[in-house]
């Protein structure tokens, strides 16, 4: 046997989320002290902790996996606190689906990790369900068998507890939350199951402590005013829960998980992948035909995308070429402009050179003329001096 029980708290106040008695009740249900460390109230996010155990009783072996939703409802912002739980359940469905879709399947030896039942713990406040409780159960009711339980039911009186039960069931019905109903189609268990459906949600008390009542030791909670016996049906619904969960309906829980919740997930997943049972004209369509149609569609889609990519590549090449040609034109225009500027500068320099050469020639001419005049003046001056000297010499004689 392999059973997976999801423990999930759904109390009314933040302080009741952690410490509502989930671990104690599970220990009491299976008469075993499971290793479960006390959880903090200050986890920033909800996390799921799965632990698997091998239980033996008489000739019965039970492989039990307990999945605890640590920190559920303890955050200040509780929006979508249930999403990690939904994701976890879907992940187990997906793992099973992937095993089913394999060519060589080994479902007989496959470790089925799907969640078969969710015990949704509700604090015994006597008031209405909080929005988080309703949203969570509504998000889970199509994915897992929900059995709501009122934890620590000895905290309120019997009359208040009965009113609280009626109020809870009325709210669940009005909000359209589908909880697990014990099956009544089997005549051997129809009567007991119908009766147990009327006791939902179960009001439970858990305790591993033994107290002496009369001449025997019983599991109970000792209070100054008296003793609350766990297995006394006049005190709480623990025996009803244990009988319905472990003895009477365990196989139905597994069957409901497979035929209802998993099938819904499988159908939605395959429909998302494009598989269908009927064709365009509502004609039966085999898996092979669907596969061929999807393959043809995929091939056509690939060709279409390939053509789009080619066209996009050609378009981008054209755009790049246009950009390069424009850049080339700009460079050519800049080159022509610089060439013209260079020609103009060169012509200006040539003009200046010619003008300078003309000035040099003119200056040279002026210099030669000046030198001629200067030589002539010097010769004239020398001739006059000679005449004066001859005159003086003549007078002296």
């Amino acid at each position: 046997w392999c059973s997976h029980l999801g423990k999930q708290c759904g109390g009314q106040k933040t302080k009741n989320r952690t410490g509502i008695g989930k671990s104690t009740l599970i220990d009491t249900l299976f008469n075993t002290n499971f290793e479960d460390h006390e959880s903090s109230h200050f986890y920033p996010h909800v996390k799921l902790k799965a632990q698997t155990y091998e239980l033996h009783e008489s000739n019965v072996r039970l492989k039990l996996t307990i999945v605890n939703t640590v920190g559920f409802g303890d955050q200040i912002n509780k929006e979508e606190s249930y999403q990690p739980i939904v994701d976890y359940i879907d992940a187990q469905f997906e793992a099973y689906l992937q095993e089913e879709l394999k060519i060589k399947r080994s479902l007989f030896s496959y470790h089925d990790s799907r969640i078969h039942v969710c015990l949704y713990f509700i604090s015994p406040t006597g008031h209405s369900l909080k929005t988080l409780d309703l949203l969570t159960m509504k998000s889970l009711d199509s994915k897992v068998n929900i059995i709501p339980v009122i934890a620590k039911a000895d905290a309120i009186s019997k009359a208040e507890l009965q009113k609280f039960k009626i109020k809870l069931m009325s709210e669940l019905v009005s909000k359209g939350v589908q909880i697990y109903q014990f099956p009544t189609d089997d005549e051997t268990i129809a009567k007991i199951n119908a009766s147990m459906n009327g006791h939902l949600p179960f009001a439970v008390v858990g305790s591993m402590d033994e107290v002496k009542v009369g001449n025997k030791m019983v599991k109970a909670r000792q209070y100054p005013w008296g003793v609350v016996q766990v297995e006394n049906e006049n005190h709480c619904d623990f025996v009803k829960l244990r009988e319905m969960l472990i003895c009477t309906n365990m196989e139905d829980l597994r069957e409901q998980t497979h035929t209802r919740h998993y099938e819904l997930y499988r159908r939605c997943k395959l429909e998302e992948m494009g598989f269908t049972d009927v064709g365009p004209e509502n004609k039966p369509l085999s898996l092979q035909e669907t596969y061929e149609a999807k393959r043809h569609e995929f091939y056509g889609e690939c060709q279409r995308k390939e053509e789009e990519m080619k066209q996009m590549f050609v378009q981008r090449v054209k755009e790049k070429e246009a950009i390069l040609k424009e850049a080339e034109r700009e460079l050519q225009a800049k080159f022509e402009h610089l060439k013209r500027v260079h020609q103009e500068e060169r012509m200006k320099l040539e003009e200046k050179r010619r003008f300078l050469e003309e000035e040099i020639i003119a200056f040279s001419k002026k210099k030669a003329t000046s030198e001629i005049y200067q030589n002539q003046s010097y010769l004239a001056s020398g001739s006059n001096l000679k005449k004066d000297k001859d005159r003086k010499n003549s007078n002296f004689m």
Side-chain angles (χ1 to χ4, degrees):
W1 290 353
C2 175
S3 178
H4 298 269
L5 304 181
K7 299 190 302 176
Q8 192 170 348
C9 64
Q12 303 299 321
K13 298 179 181 178
T14 301
K15 66 179 181 179
N16 289 332
R17 302 295 183 180
T18 301
I20 199 173
K22 304 186 300 296
S23 300
T24 302
L25 181 65
I26 296 298
D27 288 349
T28 312
L29 273 173
F30 295 97
N31 196 28
T32 304
N33 287 312
F34 297 108
E35 296 178 5
D36 194 5
H37 301 289
E38 186 175 351
S39 299
S40 168
H41 289 271
F42 304 104
Y43 286 107
H45 305 289
V46 178
K47 63 177 183 178
L48 279 75
K49 184 173 67 174
Q51 293 176 300
T52 302
Y53 305 92
E54 294 277 355
L55 304 181
H56 302 269
E57 185 173 349
S58 299
N59 295 325
V60 177
R61 296 180 61 190
L62 177 67
K63 190 173 185 179
L64 173 70
T65 298
I66 301 172
V67 183
N68 193 6
T69 54
V70 180
F72 176 78
D74 286 340
Q75 295 76 31
I76 296 176
N77 183 6
K78 299 175 179 60
E79 187 177 359
E80 295 187 356
S81 294
Y82 55 84
Q83 193 57 48
I85 306 168
V86 173
D87 293 342
Y88 181 87
I89 295 173
D90 284 346
Q92 312 317 307
F93 284 154
E94 182 63 24
Y96 193 89
L97 177 61
Q98 292 302 319
E99 182 65 28
E100 267 195 335
L101 294 176
K102 287 181 180 179
I103 296 176
K104 293 183 179 180
R105 300 186 301 178
S106 56
L107 293 175
F108 179 77
S109 59
Y110 175 75
H111 174 61
D112 186 2
S113 59
R114 293 174 298 179
I115 305 298
H116 295 306
V117 62
C118 170
L119 297 180
Y120 197 95
F121 284 69
I122 302 170
S123 293
T125 61
H127 305 302
S128 302
L129 285 167
K130 294 297 182 183
T131 304
L132 178 61
D133 297 323
L134 292 171
L135 285 175
T136 303
M137 283 193 275
K138 187 61 180 174
S139 300
L140 295 176
D141 64 359
S142 62
K143 298 178 180 295
V144 67
N145 303 310
I146 300 176
I147 299 179
V149 295
I150 302 172
K152 298 183 177 180
D154 53 340
I156 57 177
S157 67
K158 244 186 174 182
E160 291 174 332
L161 187 60
Q162 191 58 33
K163 291 179 182 178
F164 189 37
K165 280 188 174 188
I166 296 171
K167 195 170 189 178
L168 291 180
M169 290 303 296
S170 175
E171 283 185 296
L172 293 175
V173 171
S174 65
K175 299 300 181 181
V177 178
Q178 300 292 324
I179 64 173
Y180 175 72
Q181 294 289 315
F182 303 116
T184 56
D185 50 352
D186 187 346
E187 293 181 359
T188 58
I189 57 173
K191 187 175 181 180
I192 182 74
N193 277 352
S195 174
M196 290 300 105
N197 284 329
H199 285 85
L200 290 172
F202 291 129
V204 296
V205 176
S207 176
M208 293 297 288
D209 298 332
E210 291 193 347
V211 177
K212 188 172 184 180
V213 177
N215 295 324
K216 62 179 182 177
M217 301 296 290
V218 296
K219 286 185 173 62
R221 297 184 70 86
Q222 179 80 56
Y223 294 100
W225 45 263
V227 176
V228 177
Q229 300 178 39
V230 172
E231 296 180 323
N232 188 331
E233 295 191 51
N234 292 321
H235 293 183
C236 70
D237 296 330
F238 174 82
V239 173
K240 296 182 179 67
L241 174 63
R242 185 177 62 186
E243 178 70 22
M244 293 295 98
L245 187 65
I246 301 175
C247 301
T248 308
N249 297 296
M250 179 177 285
E251 285 304 316
D252 184 71
L253 287 166
R254 289 161 55 86
E255 184 179 347
Q256 286 292 319
T257 298
H258 186 77
T259 60
R260 179 186 168 196
H261 303 300
Y262 170 70
E263 279 302 313
L264 177 61
Y265 176 86
R266 175 181 171 275
R267 186 185 70 198
C268 293
K269 195 70 175 180
L270 292 178
E271 286 176 353
E272 287 178 8
M273 296 168 64
F275 290 96
T276 179
D277 294 330
V278 293
E281 299 177 357
N282 290 328
K283 292 181 179 179
L285 199 64
S286 68
L287 182 63
Q288 180 66 24
E289 290 172 327
T290 304
Y291 170 76
E292 290 296 334
K294 292 299 293 181
R295 189 173 72 87
H296 181 72
E297 181 184 346
F298 177 74
Y299 181 71
E301 183 70 14
C302 288
Q303 284 187 321
R304 185 183 63 80
K305 288 185 177 180
E306 184 180 357
E307 187 62 30
E308 287 180 356
M309 291 179 67
K310 284 181 180 178
Q311 292 178 1
M312 188 181 297
F313 177 75
V314 171
Q315 182 65 26
R316 287 185 177 180
V317 168
K318 288 181 178 179
E319 291 174 357
K320 196 68 175 176
E321 285 179 348
I323 292 171
L324 290 174
K325 285 181 179 179
E326 182 64 26
E328 185 180 358
R329 284 194 295 269
E330 290 179 359
L331 287 173
Q332 186 65 30
K334 187 179 289 186
F335 173 74
E336 294 295 334
H337 173 71
L338 291 174
K339 188 177 180 180
R340 287 193 301 270
V341 170
H342 176 69
Q343 290 285 356
E344 292 173 359
E345 291 293 330
R346 186 175 179 181
M347 291 173 64
K348 288 179 181 179
L349 287 172
E350 287 292 332
E351 185 68 25
K352 287 182 178 179
R353 186 178 66 80
R354 285 193 300 270
F355 179 75
L356 184 59
E357 286 178 349
E358 290 174 356
E359 285 188 339
I360 291 172
I361 292 171
F363 177 76
S364 297
K365 289 179 178 180
K366 287 181 179 180
K367 184 180 178 182
T369 303
S370 176
E371 287 178 350
I372 292 171
Y373 288 153
Q374 187 176 4
N375 289 335
Q376 289 178 352
S377 298
Y378 178 74
L379 292 174
S381 176
S383 177
N384 291 334
L385 287 174
K386 187 177 180 182
K387 287 179 179 181
D388 289 341
K389 187 176 179 182
D390 290 343
R391 193 181 296 119
K392 287 181 178 178
N393 290 333
S394 171
N395 291 334
F396 179 71
M397 292 179 63

